[in-house]
């Protein structure tokens, strides 16, 4: 029950952090530690075989990475156009759409019974590719290039994602029995950590959130919804199973909005940082809602109807050959 109420805790603590920011402000530096803890916990549930499966089924990884940089940038452009945003807010939306997938997507994937190894691989690859693709996309869409430091971005991926996960996999391999005993506690640790991260993000963003109108909130929800929806259904129509569809949906819909906010302040205006600020809060809430819903549902079988119909056709042909 505690895990199922994940979205409720996320919303409640967000409200508390908004009205009582002093309770959580000053802990911004702890976000890295909390994320590291979450990634370590996820690593404890993985083995090398999980990543070997990802490498063997490269189609899912390729589709996830492609959708990340196809759906979200153009969905951001469409959203800004539909809501009639001016230049600064449009730039803010495009920044959110052009950055890599967020690290929280792996956490949500874990709680949603998705393919965690695939999610971690997607986040790592899109983060590295964003060093090149984010400036190119921004230059293409608004004729404005931004600079993403390559070395610091790589070190960020290494420190926050790769090293903790690798440590978790190693511990799981060496102390498998002990880890299995502790495994039931891992979802609780991950959920509490991500809720605290949401609260800290809200407390540090109160001054900007007070400037946000309902139109910006609606636009961010719309943009995030497009990413989650298309991420799932495109993967589904391509014939992937539910676990992969969930993973790709969360990988596409949840963005590295903290980077978008940083880039907005550095290269544009504080107004351009507003969409990223709202996205930082909302995508954790929408992700937790989906994770809670999917975590309670079955994940067996269920590929795209087109894929199953092809399999049925093959079965019919094989039966006919046997009869002949």
């Amino acid at each position: 029950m505690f895990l199922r109420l994940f979205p409720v805790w996320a919303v409640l603590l967000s409200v508390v952090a908004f009205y009582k920011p002093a309770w959580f402000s000053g802990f911004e530096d702890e976000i890295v530690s909390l994320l590291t803890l979450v990634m370590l916990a996820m690593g404890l549930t993985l083995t090398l075989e999980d990543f070997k499966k990802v490498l063997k089924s490269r189609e899912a990884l390729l589709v996830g990475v492609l959708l990340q940089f196809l759906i979200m940038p153009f969905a951001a452009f469409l959203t800004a156009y539909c809501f009639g945003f001016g230049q600064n807010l449009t730039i803010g939306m495009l920044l959110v759409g052009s950055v890599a997938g967020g690290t929280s997507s792996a956490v949500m994937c874990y709680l949603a019974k998705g393919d965690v190894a695939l999610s971690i691989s997607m986040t790592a690859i899109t983060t590295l590719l964003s060093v090149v693709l984010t400036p190119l996309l921004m230059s293409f869409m608004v004729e404005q290039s931004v600079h993403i430091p390559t070395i610091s971005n790589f070190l960020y991926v290494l420190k926050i994602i790769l090293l903790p996960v690798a440590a978790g996999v190693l511990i799981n391999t060496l102390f498998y029995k002990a880890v299995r005993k502790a495994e039931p506690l891992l979802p609780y640790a991950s959920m509490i950590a991500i809720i605290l991260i949401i609260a800290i993000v809200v407390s540090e963003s109160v001054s900007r959130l007070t400037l946000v109108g309902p139109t910006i909130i609606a636009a961010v929800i719309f943009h995030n919804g497009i990413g989650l929806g298309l991420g799932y259904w495109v993967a589904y129509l391509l014939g992937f199973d539910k676990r992969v569809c969930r993973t790709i949906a969360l990988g596409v819909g949840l963005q590295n909005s903290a980077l978008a906010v940083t880039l907005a302040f550095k290269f544009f205006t504080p107004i351009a940082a507003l969409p990223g600020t709202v996205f930082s809060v909302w995508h954790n809430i929408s992700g937790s809602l989906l994770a809670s819903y999917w975590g309670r549902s079955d994940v067996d079988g269920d590929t795209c109807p087109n894929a199953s119909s092809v399999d049925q056709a093959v079965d019919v042909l094989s039966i006919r050959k046997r009869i002949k």
Side-chain angles (χ1 to χ4, degrees):
M1 183 59 69
F2 184 76
L3 288 174
R4 289 180 180 180
L5 292 176
F6 178 24
V8 177
W9 310 136
V11 172
L12 283 177
L13 217 58
S14 296
V15 173
V16 171
F18 183 80
Y19 288 103
K20 296 289 184 180
W23 291 5
F24 301 96
S25 62
F27 293 98
E28 190 173 1
D29 293 339
E30 302 305 319
I31 291 178
V32 173
S33 301
L34 288 168
L35 278 174
T36 302
L37 173 65
V38 171
M39 292 299 167
L40 176 64
M42 285 190 292
L44 291 172
T45 68
L46 299 171
T47 64
L48 289 175
E49 289 300 317
D50 294 314
F51 290 96
K52 288 180 181 178
K53 289 177 183 177
V54 173
L55 294 176
K56 288 179 181 178
S57 56
R58 290 185 293 272
E59 296 84 358
L61 183 59
L62 178 62
V63 167
V65 173
L66 285 175
L67 292 182
Q68 170 68 48
F69 290 109
L70 286 176
I71 291 176
M72 292 307 282
F74 294 103
F77 187 86
L78 175 65
T79 301
Y81 177 79
C82 291
F83 281 82
F85 284 160
Q87 183 182 23
N88 288 324
L89 285 177
T90 297
I91 288 172
M93 293 295 300
L94 294 176
L95 278 172
V96 173
S98 300
V99 294
T103 52
S104 61
S105 62
V107 184
M108 304 305 178
C109 176
Y110 172 55
L111 297 173
K113 297 180 181 177
D115 188 332
V116 179
L118 173 60
S119 178
I120 292 170
S121 301
M122 278 181 59
T123 302
I125 291 175
T126 56
T127 301
L128 293 175
L129 288 177
S130 69
V131 174
V132 176
L133 292 181
T134 298
L136 285 178
L137 287 167
M138 290 301 297
S139 179
F140 171 73
M141 290 186 289
V142 296
E143 297 183 357
Q144 175 72 49
S145 182
V146 297
H147 172 67
I148 299 178
T150 306
I151 296 177
S152 61
N153 213 39
F154 174 75
L155 291 176
Y156 173 82
V157 174
L158 188 68
K159 180 180 178 181
I160 303 298
I161 301 175
L162 300 182
L163 287 180
V165 170
V169 172
L170 180 62
I171 294 170
N172 188 22
T173 303
L174 297 177
F175 308 101
Y176 182 79
K177 291 183 179 180
V179 171
R180 293 290 71 76
K181 292 179 181 178
E183 190 171 14
L185 299 175
L186 297 179
Y188 294 94
S190 299
M191 191 188 76
I192 292 170
I194 199 67
I195 291 173
L196 287 174
I197 290 171
I198 295 171
I200 295 170
V201 169
V202 172
S203 68
E204 296 293 336
S205 307
V206 168
S207 60
R208 294 195 297 274
L209 288 172
T210 54
L211 302 174
V212 174
T215 305
I216 299 177
I217 296 173
V220 167
I221 293 174
F222 183 67
H223 182 208
N224 175 241
I226 291 176
L228 292 169
L230 285 182
Y232 185 94
W233 287 108
V234 170
Y236 183 76
L237 292 173
L238 289 174
F240 293 108
D241 62 37
K242 277 187 177 181
R243 292 185 72 235
V244 173
C245 292
R246 294 175 183 184
T247 304
I248 291 177
L250 292 168
V252 172
L254 309 187
Q255 296 290 88
N256 188 353
S257 47
L259 177 61
V261 171
T262 302
L263 294 175
F265 274 113
K266 185 173 182 179
F267 294 100
F268 302 102
T269 64
I271 294 177
L274 293 179
T277 303
V278 177
F279 206 99
S280 294
V281 177
W282 172 251
H283 79 154
N284 283 306
I285 295 174
S286 66
S288 64
L289 286 168
L290 271 179
S292 178
Y293 173 73
W294 280 336
R296 297 195 302 268
S297 59
D298 189 21
V299 290
D300 294 332
D302 306 324
T303 55
C304 171
N306 293 338
S308 61
S309 62
V310 170
D311 293 337
Q312 291 171 6
V314 172
D315 291 340
V316 170
L317 287 174
S318 62
I319 292 172
R320 287 178 179 175
K321 287 181 179 178
R322 291 176 187 174
I323 293 173
K324 290 179 180 180

